[in-house]
């Protein structure tokens, strides 16, 4: 026998009181009252527009998996026919991307029974199911750095903050976070970078990235310190990289009207990576597919890869495939430069590992560019240990003088 569930929509209340569907009448042998609310502790300014009216509702009968989905809690019908038995109700925010700004995801579920001749009250409390990330730079940090970028990825999505985005909150599905920081000193535009992995993560975590910069002399350089706080767990990381610059005279003022990066021309070279459009950090595996499409309406004129690796052995190995070999007693530079058009050694060697070179690049308007053979060699032939990062910066120039670049980051998984 089917039981009749009667509900009525309550008026929309203020955000922290939630929304309820109340029983107003019982006309059948079985009725259920649903109450839906959410924990407001993690609500931010961006979350003030959250309404349980918009939550997606899924009702499932446990015995056989029968399911009914309602696109909006507010649009659930006043009468729902259900047979007796045990059920589960699941409520979740409508937007549920793995990484997005201003997107807290609330969800919750509850089990209930539909019984003959009884009214069952069911309450569902929705709590934060993803993680929040915010930046907290000091005043000194904002003053000493002309610009900076903070890139955060959870392996499924990536968000990038710059100086104008300091106040924004990013939200990530629960997975270890990789954080990459680039800072540029205002006095001379010198750069320091750092990569940090946060592996101990959970729903409701609020990861606060505290950024600070201290001068090492009057104008002798700055250091960047990052303090990660997650549920009262602090992780302090010092970022080396700024060389000291002696004081030799007055420092010319920085012209705020002079942009650091000109606007990208409409026909500049472009890159696409199907399946990884955000160019998120990618785990290295034997069967990985790194097939990119490079388009250059003005035709490709130059194509250079700058390799930076945590593993010196891999840097030396790749240098053997270019005209700029790093000797056994030579210091490893910051980058190994691979010129795929103008270096005859690199043209021949890289073609041998499936990479487009020479005439297959020069003068082309669109090419398929694959790193699917070279990258999986990093852990074995490259002797790269676990939990290491390897960065390929692709720089492509066209015959009209436009140049564009992209950084691809690959990670050898931790054991």
């Amino acid at each position: 026998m089917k039981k009749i569930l009667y509900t009525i929509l309550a008026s929309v209340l203020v955000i922290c009181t939630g929304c309820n569907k109340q029983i107003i009448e019982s006309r059948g042998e079985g009725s259920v009252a649903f109450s839906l609310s959410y924990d407001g502790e993690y609500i931010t300014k961006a979350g003030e527009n959250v309404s349980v009216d918009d939550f997606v509702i899924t009702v499932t009968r446990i015995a056989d998996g029968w399911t009914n989905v309602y696109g909006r809690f507010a649009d659930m019908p006043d009468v729902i026919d259900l047979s007796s038995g045990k059920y589960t109700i699941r409520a979740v925010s409508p937007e549920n991307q793995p990484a997005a700004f201003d997107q807290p995801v609330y969800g919750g579920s509850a089990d209930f029974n539909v019984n003959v001749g009884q009214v069952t009250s069911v309450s569902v409390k929705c709590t934060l199911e993803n993680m929040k990330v915010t930046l907290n730079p000091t005043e000194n940090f904002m003053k000493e750095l002309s610009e900076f970028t903070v890139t955060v990825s959870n392996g499924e999505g990536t968000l990038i903050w710059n100086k104008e985005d300091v106040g924004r909150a990013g939200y990530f599905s629960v997975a270890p976070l990789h954080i990459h920081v680039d800072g540029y000193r205002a006095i001379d535009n010198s750069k320091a970078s750092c990569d940090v992995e946060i592996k101990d993560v959970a729903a409701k975590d609020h990861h606060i990235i505290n950024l600070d910069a201290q001068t090492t002399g009057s104008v002798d350089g700055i250091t960047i310190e990052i303090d990660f706080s997650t549920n009262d767990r602090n992780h302090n990381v010092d970022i080396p990289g700024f060389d000291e610059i002696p004081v030799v005279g007055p420092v010319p003022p920085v012209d705020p009207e002079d942009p650091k990066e000109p606007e990208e021309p409409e026909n500049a070279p472009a890159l696409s990576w199907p399946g990884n459009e955000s160019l998120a950090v990618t785990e290295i595996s034997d069967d990985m597919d790194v097939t990119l499409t490079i388009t250059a309406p003005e035709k490709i004129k130059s194509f250079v890869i700058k390799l930076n690796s945590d593993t010196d052995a891999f840097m030396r190995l790749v240098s053997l495939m270019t005209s700029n070999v790093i000797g056994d007693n030579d210091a490893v530079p910051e980058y190994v430069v691979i010129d795929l058009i103008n270096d005859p050694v690199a043209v021949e060697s890289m073609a041998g590992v499936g990479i487009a070179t020479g005439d297959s690049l020069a003068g082309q308007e669109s090419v398929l560019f694959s790193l699917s053979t070279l990258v999986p060699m990093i852990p074995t032939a490259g002797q790269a240990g676990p939990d290491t990062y390897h960065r390929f910066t692709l720089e492509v120039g066209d015959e009209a003088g436009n140049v564009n670049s992209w950084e691809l980051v690959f990670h050898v998984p931790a054991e």
Side-chain angles (χ1 to χ4, degrees), residues 14-230:
V14 295
I15 185 164
C16 289
T17 61
C19 181
N20 297 297
K21 289 180 179 289
Q22 302 290 343
I23 291 291
I24 60 169
E25 183 179 3
S26 178
R27 302 177 183 172
E29 295 179 326
S31 300
V32 179
F34 286 114
S35 174
L36 183 60
S37 63
Y38 63 90
D39 187 345
E41 180 180 355
Y42 291 87
I43 296 297
T44 63
K45 182 177 181 180
E48 290 177 356
N49 294 323
V50 174
S51 170
V52 293
D53 281 350
D54 298 322
F55 280 23
V56 178
I57 309 299
T58 303
V59 178
T60 302
R61 187 164 54 225
I62 296 176
D64 57 7
W66 173 89
T67 298
N68 200 6
V69 179
Y70 302 92
R72 295 182 71 245
F73 179 61
D75 295 337
M76 288 179 66
D78 292 340
V79 177
I80 301 174
D81 294 327
L82 294 174
S83 60
S84 62
K86 295 182 177 181
Y87 290 81
T88 293
I89 181 173
R90 162 79 172 158
V92 68
S93 304
E95 299 295 332
N96 194 4
Q97 298 298 315
F101 284 110
D102 309 323
Q103 184 201 259
V105 176
Y106 294 91
S109 61
D111 295 337
F112 64 95
N113 292 328
V114 174
N115 298 315
V116 175
Q118 296 182 7
V119 176
T120 302
S121 179
V122 179
S123 177
V124 181
K125 184 177 181 179
C126 297
T127 59
L128 191 69
E129 293 191 335
N130 56 357
M131 305 182 299
K132 178 181 175 182
V133 174
T134 57
L135 304 187
N136 183 33
T138 65
E139 180 180 354
N140 197 55
F141 183 88
M142 298 293 286
K143 180 179 66 175
E144 295 295 338
L145 298 186
S146 61
E147 58 182 299
F148 62 86
T149 60
V150 179
T151 303
V152 182
S153 172
N154 64 354
E156 298 179 352
T158 300
L159 297 179
I160 300 175
W161 283 259
N162 55 37
K163 209 165 189 177
E164 291 73 30
D165 299 321
V166 166
R168 302 196 69 179
Y171 289 84
F172 294 83
S173 56
V174 179
L177 294 175
H178 176 76
I179 301 176
H180 178 77
V181 181
D182 286 326
Y184 299 85
R185 183 169 52 183
I187 191 173
D188 61 358
N189 208 36
S190 59
K191 175 183 176 182
S193 300
C194 183
D195 289 280
V196 175
E197 192 86 8
I198 299 178
K199 298 180 180 179
D200 186 10
V201 295
K204 290 189 179 182
D205 276 357
H206 181 187
H207 299 273
I208 303 172
I209 304 177
N210 297 310
L211 301 168
D212 193 13
Q214 301 294 330
T215 57
T216 59
S218 57
V219 289
D220 285 341
I222 62 175
T223 58
I224 301 175
E225 179 180 320
I226 299 180
D227 172 19
F228 297 100
S229 299
T230 304

Side-chain angles (χ1 to χ4, degrees), residues 382-399:
Q383 303 177 37
D387 200 22
T388 55
Y389 290 87
H390 312 273
R391 300 166 190 83
F392 292 71
T393 300
L394 278 56
E395 293 186 356
V396 179
D398 62 22
E399 295 180 0

Side-chain angles (χ1 to χ4, degrees), residues 309-316 332 378 382-385 388-390:
S309 171
D310 288 352
T311 305
D312 287 353
F314 182 58
M315 300 271 280
R316 293 183 186 277
V332 177
I378 295 175
Q383 303 177 37
T388 55
Y389 290 87
H390 312 273

Side-chain angles (χ1 to χ4, degrees), residues 265-311:
E266 182 178 353
N267 291 329
L271 176 146
S272 67
W273 184 352
N276 188 14
E277 286 77 7
S278 63
L279 305 186
V281 176
T282 303
E283 300 291 298
I284 297 176
S285 62
D286 291 338
D287 57 351
M288 67 189 305
D289 182 12
V290 189
T291 303
L292 318 169
T293 299
I294 308 293
T295 56
E298 302 293 341
K299 298 182 180 180
I300 296 174
K301 182 178 181 181
S302 63
F303 200 125
V304 173
I305 299 177
K306 293 182 178 180
L307 169 65
N308 171 269
S309 171
D310 288 352
T311 305

